[in-house]
């Protein structure tokens, strides 16, 4: 589905629409919906920072587990850092604002904001690490450091995900996120 919002082409994949429909029908406590909203706020934080940095957003593609924001031109180093921090900053700011009113609404923003700052490939923290490394290292060394950091951090995260799943009997979110990021590590060219 294609929409036009504030001169930005918004492409929503079928799987996103289907997942959101399922969540609206099945999520009686609205916890997953709160996570969807936290993810939307996160991406809006990136888009807002792009606009504030003077980078024109051409297209936003919403996919099931991520979003791809396309710009007309590559931002400068400082603008790229600010744009990358825009998503987690939006989540952390909203978490701070919501904390006095509702822990249920606050926690998805806090978790998403902090998780995205981890220096892992495909996360904002990984992009920040890459930006810093690219100023000092060759692309090959940068890639090796990123993959190693991702692997070293994902091992304890995956272990914690398994422990949480066995202790709770139902909470598989950290394990699923770790497996997804591990798959990206091995599948990314």
């Amino acid at each position: 589905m294609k929409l036009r919002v504030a001169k930005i082409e918004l492409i929503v994949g079928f799987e996103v629409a289907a997942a959101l429909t399922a969540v609206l029908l099945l999520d009686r406590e609205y916890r997953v919906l709160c996570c969807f909203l936290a993810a939307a706020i996160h991406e809006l934080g990136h888009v807002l920072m792009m606009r504030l940095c003077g980078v024109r957003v051409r297209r936003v593609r919403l996919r099931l587990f991520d979003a791809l924001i396309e710009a007309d031109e590559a931002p400068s180093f400082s603008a790229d850092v600010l744009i990358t921090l825009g998503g987690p900053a939006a989540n952390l700011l909203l978490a701070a604002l919501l904390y006095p009113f509702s822990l249920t609404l606050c926690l998805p923003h806090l978790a998403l904001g902090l998780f995205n700052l981890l220096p892992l490939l495909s996360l904002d923290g990984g992009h920040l690490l890459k930006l810093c490394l690219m100023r000092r290292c060759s692309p090959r060394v940068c890639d090796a450091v990123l993959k190693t950091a991702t692997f070293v951090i994902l091992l304890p995260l995956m272990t914690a995900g398994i422990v949480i799943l066995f202790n709770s009997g139902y909470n598989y979110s950290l394990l699923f996120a770790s497996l997804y990021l591990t798959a990206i590590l091995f599948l990314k060219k």
Side-chain angles (χ1 to χ4, degrees), residues 36 46 50 69 75 83 95 103 115 120-121 129 134 139 163-164 182 188:
F36 266 104
H46 290 304
M50 289 175 86
I69 302 172
I83 291 165
L103 196 58
F115 191 78
L120 304 172
L121 280 171
L129 179 59
M134 290 298 284
V163 169
I164 290 170
T182 302
K188 199 167 195 171

Side-chain angles (χ1 to χ4, degrees), residues 2-61:
K2 290 184 182 182
L3 305 166
R4 203 130 185 100
V5 180
K7 297 182 183 178
I8 300 172
E9 183 180 13
L10 177 64
I11 301 171
V12 181
F14 170 76
E15 69 282 1
V16 174
L20 191 54
T21 302
V23 165
L24 290 172
L25 292 173
L26 302 172
D27 185 23
R28 302 216 184 265
E29 294 179 12
Y30 302 110
R31 289 184 181 165
V32 178
L33 184 61
C34 289
C35 294
F36 266 104
L37 292 174
I41 295 295
H42 181 91
E43 298 309 328
L44 283 173
H46 290 304
V47 170
L48 176 63
M49 194 56 71
M50 289 175 86
R51 294 202 106 160
L52 290 174
C53 290
V55 177
R56 187 176 170 282
V57 180
R58 181 176 2 129
R59 180 179 303 122
V60 177
R61 293 177 192 264

Side-chain angles (χ1 to χ4, degrees), residues 60-181:
V60 177
R61 293 177 192 264
L62 298 179
R63 301 184 291 194
L64 192 55
F65 296 113
D66 65 352
L68 179 62
I69 302 172
E70 298 175 29
D72 282 342
E73 70 277 348
S76 66
F77 172 79
S78 57
D80 205 355
V81 169
L82 290 172
I83 291 165
T84 303
L85 289 171
N91 287 125
L92 296 174
L93 177 63
L94 204 50
L97 292 172
L98 291 171
Y99 177 72
F101 305 104
S102 171
L103 196 58
T104 302
L105 294 175
C106 166
L107 285 178
H109 290 282
L110 181 64
L112 186 62
L114 292 176
F115 191 78
N116 259 283
L117 289 173
L118 290 173
L120 304 172
L121 280 171
S122 300
L123 296 181
D124 295 328
H127 187 68
L128 288 172
L129 179 59
K130 180 181 179 179
L131 289 173
C132 294
L133 288 172
M134 290 298 284
R135 293 183 72 114
R136 303 214 181 257
C137 305
S138 70
R140 199 177 82 163
V141 170
C142 176
D143 188 51
V145 169
L146 274 169
K147 285 183 177 179
T148 302
T150 299
F151 185 74
V152 167
I153 293 169
L154 279 176
L155 279 178
L157 277 179
M158 197 176 304
T159 304
I162 292 168
V163 169
I164 290 170
L165 176 61
F166 282 122
N167 286 335
S168 70
Y170 66 90
N171 190 342
Y172 56 86
S173 55
L174 183 59
L175 179 60
F176 180 76
S178 300
L179 289 171
Y180 172 73
L181 292 169

